[in-house]
């Protein structure tokens, strides 16, 4: 504002005199003068022609806070319907401009004049945009920054999905319960959306609303629950066969026994079964974006009446684990012929019901005994197990099958009595003692071996090799000297010294003149295994009767003899009633009895052949 004084003027005074009839006009000196500058009495403000405010004369500024704020809303540019991931919204940035105004100032002066300003255009500064508020169905769900014009509403809701028409078979399939169902996939629910611009001043402006919805959700898996025991994935097909459905129940009573003579394991069982029970099912649909839906429960039942199958298993080592199937061991009775001797193994019976695993019996550990010696007698036999137990089998005449308890190294048998060398070296006898072949008092020894005959028996002293013989008077006086092996049969005895030379005595002593590693006497013959592995015989059986081969062991019965060849095969000759050794077995030693023979196989098991009136010659079962 500027106040300007009045224009400057020059003033002088003219004085007129009449003097002497003459007019005189002297002038005063000139002076300059002007009016003072007018002063405003106030200010009147106008906006766009309308009075805005009246201010005092000292005012020099005015803040027009009554200017209307321009709060611009955004505009939704797109909403999606097809995306199952969410509803995607986009919008435009609101216009930041504000409404301008034309301002004029009216200045009344103290001299009654009025001064007017020129019009000036002014506008309020735009509001500061802080962000956007996403409104769904009238409720704010998210606030985003002002630099964003896109929002993905992944929380938009879906309409309900359905798993319906669920059915389950009732006993029509033995391989399980078949379930089938239908499915309705959920679609997005329609929502009304708006975008609200949010300013730093607290103002906001909302866009016009629009409608959006999520797309169709897709099934990614179906799951089945049986009897509330948890969910199992079955894929995306609309049917499934539950092969794990409960089958019929089975009660099994099993036995695991070891044959103490032939060293096989005998397996057996009996079983009773009942029909499968019903099961309750539910089907659940899993979607890529929507929440799972669960069907109503249905019941189903596996077919069949508890048809069971069985399989015996054996551990591969002496531990409860590492089981393998025993080939062919599926029936109610089975003999395991390949059980290893003197080693523990665990056996269990696996049961399946309606082709489904059902369970197993409690494992049972057994040890199959192996043998280190066997002797065939007259109607009975005895074998010494590797652990020292003495097992006798066959006829029990004169208590022959109940030898004294204890641990044995070797055994000898005759018709009605037997003697054994115990682990402490003593000899103990049992059976018929009419001629002194089975004295009740043991011979303390220690003894290395014993040989039993029908008339006389002898043992070799383990310390000096001397012979001790007992039985029929006249035959018990053994020759002096050290011996390594002795054989007695009937009324005759032969013993070998350390050189292999034979010394024989009795009612008809044999003339065994060679050098032998072993000698064996029958009732009417004698045979010797020479140092070269050849067998020589004299008497009722001669060398020509011996089957060809190189031998490592020999034994004689009453009227037949048996030997073991270098390759482990066995051969017998003489009375055919003694039997023929099994051709596919290999032996460590054999024993010839009266009418049968037995051997210890190289696998530690016994096998016998010949006449078997009383169970004295049990034969290994055929595999």
């Amino acid at each position: 504002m500027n106040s300007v004084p009045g224009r400057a003027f020059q003033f002088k005074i003219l004085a007129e005199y009449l003097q002497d009839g003459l007019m005189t006009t002297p002038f005063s000196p000139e002076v300059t003068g002007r009016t003072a500058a007018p002063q405003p009495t106030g200010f009147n403000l106008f906006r766009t022609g309308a009075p805005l405010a009246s201010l005092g004369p000292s005012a020099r500024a005015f803040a027009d806070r009554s200017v209307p704020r321009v709060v611009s809303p955004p505009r939704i540019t797109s909403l999606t319907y097809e995306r199952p991931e969410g509803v995607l919204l986009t919008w435009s940035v609101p216009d930041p401009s504000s409404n301008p105004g034309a301002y004029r100032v009216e200045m009344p002066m103290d001299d009654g004049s009025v001064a007017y300003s020129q019009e000036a255009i002014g506008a309020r500064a735009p509001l500061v945009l802080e962000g956007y508020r996403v409104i769904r169905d009238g409720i704010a769900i998210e606030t985003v920054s002002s630099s964003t014009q896109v929002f993905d509403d992944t929380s938009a809701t879906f309409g309900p999905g359905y798993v319906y028409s669920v059915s389950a078979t009732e006993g029509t399939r033995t391989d399980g319960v078949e379930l089938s169902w239908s499915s309705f996939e959920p679609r997005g629910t329609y929502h009304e959306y708006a975008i609200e611009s949010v300013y730093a001043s607290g103002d906001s402006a909302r866009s016009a609303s629009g409608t959006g919805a999520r797309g169709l959700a897709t099934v990614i898996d179906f799951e089945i629950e049986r009897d509330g025991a948890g969910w199992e994935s079955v894929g995306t097909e609309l049917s499934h066969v539950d092969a794990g459905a409960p089958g019929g129940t089975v009660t099994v009573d099993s036995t695991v026994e070891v044959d103490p003579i032939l060293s096989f394991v005998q397996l057996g069982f009996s079983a009773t079964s009942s029909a499968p029970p019903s099961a309750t099912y539910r089907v659940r649909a899993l979607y890529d974006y929507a929440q799972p839906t669960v069907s109503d429960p249905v019941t189903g039942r596996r077919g069949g009446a508890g048809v069971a199958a069985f399989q015996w298993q054996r551990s591969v080592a002496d531990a409860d684990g590492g089981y393998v199937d025993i080939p062919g061991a599926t029936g109610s009775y089975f003999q395991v012929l390949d059980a290893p001797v003197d080693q523990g193994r665990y056996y269990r019976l696996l049961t399946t019901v309606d082709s489904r695993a059902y369970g197993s019996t409690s494992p049972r550990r057994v040890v199959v005994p192996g043998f280190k010696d066997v002797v065939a007698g007259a109607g009975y036999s005895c074998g010494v197990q590797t652990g020292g137990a003495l097992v006798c089998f066959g006829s029990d005449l004169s208590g022959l099958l109940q030898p004294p308890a204890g641990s044995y190294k070797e055994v000898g048998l005759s018709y009605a009595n037997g003697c054994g060398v115990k682990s402490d070296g003593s000899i103990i006898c049992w059976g018929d003692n009419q001629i002194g072949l089975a004295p009740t008092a043991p011979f303390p020894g220690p003894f290395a071996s014993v040989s039993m005959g029908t008339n006389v028996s002898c043992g070799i002293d383990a310390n000096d090799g001397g012979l001790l013989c007992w039985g029929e008077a006249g035959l018990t006086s053994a020759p002096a000297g050290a011996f390594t092996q002795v054989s007695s049969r009937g009324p005759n005895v032969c013993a070998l010294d350390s050189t292999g030379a034979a010394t024989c005595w009795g009612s008809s002593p044999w003339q065994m003149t060679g050098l032998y590693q072993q000698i064996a006497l029958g009732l009417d013959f004698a045979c010797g295994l020479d140092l070269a592995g050849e067998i020589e015989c004299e008497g009722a059986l001669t060398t020509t009767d011996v089957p060809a081969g190189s031998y490592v062991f020999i034994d004689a019965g009453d009227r037949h003899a048996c030997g073991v060849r270098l390759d482990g095969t066995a051969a017998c000759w003489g009375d055919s009633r003694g039997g023929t050794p099994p051709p596919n077995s290999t032996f460590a030693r054999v024993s010839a009895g009266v009418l049968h023979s037995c051997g210890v196989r190289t696998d530690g098991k016994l096998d016998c052949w010949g006449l078997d009136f009383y169970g004295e010659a049990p034969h290994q079962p055929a595999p």
Side-chain angles (χ1 to χ4, degrees):
M1 180 201 76
N2 290 314
S3 276
V4 181
R7 181 179 175 182
F9 292 95
Q10 298 294 322
F11 292 94
K12 60 183 179 181
I13 302 298
L14 174 64
E16 293 182 353
Y17 297 97
L18 184 61
Q19 184 178 6
D20 296 329
L22 295 174
M23 185 67 68
T24 62
T25 56
F27 288 90
S28 67
E30 285 187 343
V31 295
T32 301
R34 67 177 67 187
T35 61
Q39 297 298 314
T41 61
F43 299 95
N44 296 316
L45 276 65
F46 293 86
R47 184 181 66 211
T48 318
L52 178 62
S54 294
L55 306 176
S58 63
R60 295 295 183 270
F62 178 76
D64 183 7
R65 291 184 172 84
S66 65
V67 177
R69 294 181 183 273
V70 179
V71 183
S72 300
R75 181 176 63 86
I76 295 176
T77 57
S78 67
L79 282 166
T80 60
Y81 291 87
E82 74 284 355
R83 296 175 69 251
E85 300 95 327
V87 179
L88 190 65
L89 299 89
T90 60
W91 58 88
S92 62
V93 179
D95 184 1
S97 64
S98 60
N99 294 327
Y103 290 89
R104 182 172 59 84
V105 180
E106 183 183 84
M107 184 171 61
M109 311 298 278
D110 54 3
D111 63 354
S113 63
V114 177
Y116 299 94
S117 71
Q118 294 182 341
E119 280 192 343
I121 303 301
R124 195 166 187 171
L127 295 176
V128 177
L129 181 65
E130 284 198 336
Y132 301 97
R133 190 176 293 119
V134 181
I135 309 298
R136 183 181 68 202
D137 298 332
I139 298 174
I141 60 171
E142 191 80 23
T143 298
V144 298
S145 70
S146 60
S147 62
T148 299
Q149 285 85 49
V150 178
F151 178 73
D152 196 357
D153 182 14
T154 57
S155 66
T157 58
F158 281 98
Y162 299 98
V163 178
Y164 60 97
S165 299
V166 182
S167 63
T169 54
E170 282 284 346
T172 57
R173 297 185 62 139
T174 59
D175 59 342
V177 175
E178 182 178 7
L179 296 105
S180 59
W181 59 88
S182 298
S183 173
F184 175 78
E185 286 71 31
R187 293 181 178 273
T189 302
Y190 288 100
H191 295 289
E192 289 292 326
Y193 289 92
I195 303 298
E196 200 170 65
S197 56
V198 180
Y199 295 93
S201 61
D203 296 295
S204 63
R206 185 175 296 187
S207 71
S209 63
T211 303
R214 299 176 82 155
L216 180 69
T218 302
V219 173
I220 59 173
D221 194 13
F222 288 108
E223 295 180 327
I224 289 180
E225 178 194 66
R226 182 193 335 117
D227 293 332
W231 295 97
E232 175 189 358
S233 171
V234 297
T236 56
E237 299 297 324
L238 297 177
S239 64
H240 175 72
V241 176
D242 178 22
T249 58
V250 176
T251 302
V252 178
D253 183 16
S254 63
T255 58
V256 180
E257 298 177 346
V258 176
D259 188 296
I261 301 170
L262 296 180
S263 301
F264 61 79
V265 179
Q266 182 171 299
L267 307 174
F269 70 88
S270 61
T272 57
S273 61
S274 59
S278 293
T280 300
Y281 293 91
R282 292 193 302 167
V283 180
R284 180 168 70 176
L286 303 182
Y287 306 103
D288 49 0
Y289 296 102
Q291 293 296 311
T293 57
V294 181
S295 73
D296 293 331
V298 297
T299 58
R301 183 175 55 83
R302 193 186 192 109
V307 178
F310 304 92
Q311 173 65 61
W312 281 99
Q313 291 187 321
R314 180 176 65 190
S315 65
V316 297
D318 190 4
D320 183 10
Y323 288 92
V324 295
D325 291 348
I326 302 174
T330 58
S332 60
Y333 176 82
F334 188 80
Q335 292 175 332
V336 182
L337 304 181
D338 63 346
V341 300
D342 298 323
Q343 299 180 37
R345 290 293 185 269
Y346 286 79
Y347 292 82
R348 69 181 185 183
L349 179 66
L350 292 185
T351 303
T352 58
V353 180
D354 299 328
S355 303
R356 180 185 67 87
Y358 184 78
S360 65
T361 57
S362 297
R364 180 178 173 185
R365 180 181 182 269
V366 297
V367 178
V368 173
F371 287 83
K372 58 184 178 181
D373 188 26
V374 66
V375 176
Y380 76 112
S381 305
C382 291
V384 180
Q385 295 177 352
T386 51
L390 182 60
V391 179
C392 296
F393 44 95
S395 172
D396 197 23
L397 180 67
S398 302
L400 297 175
L401 302 188
Q402 287 80 41
S407 177
Y408 289 79
K409 295 191 298 182
E410 187 179 296
V411 66
L413 301 180
S414 183
Y415 282 99
N417 41 60
C419 292
V421 180
K422 303 193 76 173
S423 296
D424 61 3
S426 63
I427 291 178
I428 191 166
C429 302
W430 68 96
D432 187 349
N433 190 37
Q434 289 187 11
I435 59 173
L437 288 175
T440 55
F443 301 106
F447 291 89
S449 63
V450 65
S451 177
M452 296 290 295
T454 54
N455 299 80
V456 63
S457 299
C458 296
I460 297 178
D461 191 289
N463 293 324
D464 58 13
L467 289 176
L468 173 68
C469 298
W470 59 95
E472 186 177 309
L475 297 175
T476 59
S477 298
F483 297 92
T484 59
Q485 192 242 329
V486 63
S487 176
S488 61
R489 181 74 64 171
N492 297 291
V493 182
C494 285
L496 298 179
D497 62 20
S498 60
T499 68
T503 300
C504 298
W505 70 96
S507 61
S508 55
W510 301 106
Q511 305 301 312
M512 304 297 292
T513 59
L515 296 178
Y516 307 99
Q517 51 182 309
Q518 193 180 354
I519 196 166
L521 303 187
L523 286 180
D524 52 7
F525 68 93
C527 293
L529 174 62
D530 67 17
L531 303 182
E534 301 292 332
I535 293 178
E536 302 173 3
C537 295
E538 63 178 72
L541 297 180
T542 66
T543 302
T544 59
D545 296 319
V546 180
S550 179
Y551 287 82
V552 296
F553 191 87
I554 187 175
D555 189 63
D558 275 11
R559 289 181 172 82
H560 76 284
C562 296
V564 178
R565 296 187 182 95
L566 186 62
D567 63 2
T569 58
C572 295
W573 58 98
D575 188 345
S576 61
R577 292 177 298 176
T580 301
N584 298 322
S585 297
T586 58
F587 292 86
R589 60 192 299 129
V590 291
S591 174
V594 176
L595 296 175
H596 75 285
S597 305
C598 290
V600 177
R601 300 193 316 189
T602 52
D603 63 2
K605 298 182 180 182
L606 297 185
D607 204 353
C608 299
W609 52 94
L611 297 183
D612 188 26
F613 292 121
Y614 309 105
E616 70 270 30
H619 185 59
Q620 285 285 340

